[in-house]
């Protein structure tokens, strides 16, 4: 069982933050089944996940520890005005 998530990706430098959020997003969506116009397929992000994990490991970032989900709430002061418009 994983420990309590305490590693906050939004507290990391911007490049590391971007890689951690991308990794989280790809892991969450990996192996999902998608259907469009009568065709169904399974998403496979394993090569991209491995590439990001290698990049983080090279930078000395431990991406295996439990991480807080990268959620930004509407009242979060760290949200930029441009982000709210999207």
């Amino acid at each position: 069982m994983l420990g309590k998530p305490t590693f906050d990706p939004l507290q990391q430098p911007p490049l590391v933050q971007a890689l951690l959020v991308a990794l989280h997003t790809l892991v969450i969506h990996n192996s999902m089944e998608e259907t469009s116009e009568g065709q169904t397929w399974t998403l496979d992000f394993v090569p991209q996940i491995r590439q990001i994990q290698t990049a983080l490991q090279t930078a000395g970032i431990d991406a295996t520890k439990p991480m807080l989900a990268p959620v930004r709430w509407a009242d979060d002061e760290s949200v930029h005005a441009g982000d709210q418009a999207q």
Side-chain angles (χ1 to χ4, degrees), residues 41-55:
W41 64 94
T42 302
L43 298 176
D44 179 9
F45 294 115
V46 172
Q48 293 80 13
I49 290 168
R50 287 186 180 143
Q51 185 178 27
I52 293 171
Q53 288 173 329
T54 299

Side-chain angles (χ1 to χ4, degrees), residues 8-81:
D8 187 351
L10 300 178
Q11 298 297 318
Q12 301 300 311
L15 181 59
V16 173
Q17 181 182 114
L19 288 171
L20 288 167
V21 170
L23 179 60
H24 176 81
T25 303
L26 291 173
V27 167
I28 294 299
H29 290 91
N30 190 50
S31 298
M32 284 184 143
E33 284 194 357
E34 300 298 320
T35 302
S36 177
E37 298 182 9
Q39 300 269 338
T40 300
W41 64 94
T42 302
L43 298 176
D44 179 9
F45 294 115
V46 172
Q48 293 80 13
I49 290 168
R50 287 186 180 143
Q51 185 178 27
I52 293 171
Q53 288 173 329
T54 299
L56 288 167
Q57 183 179 13
T58 301
I61 305 298
D62 181 6
T64 63
K65 55 186 166 182
M67 181 176 82
L68 294 170
V71 175
R72 293 188 189 208
W73 303 102
D75 59 349
D76 187 348
E77 293 176 12
S78 68
V79 176
H80 301 115

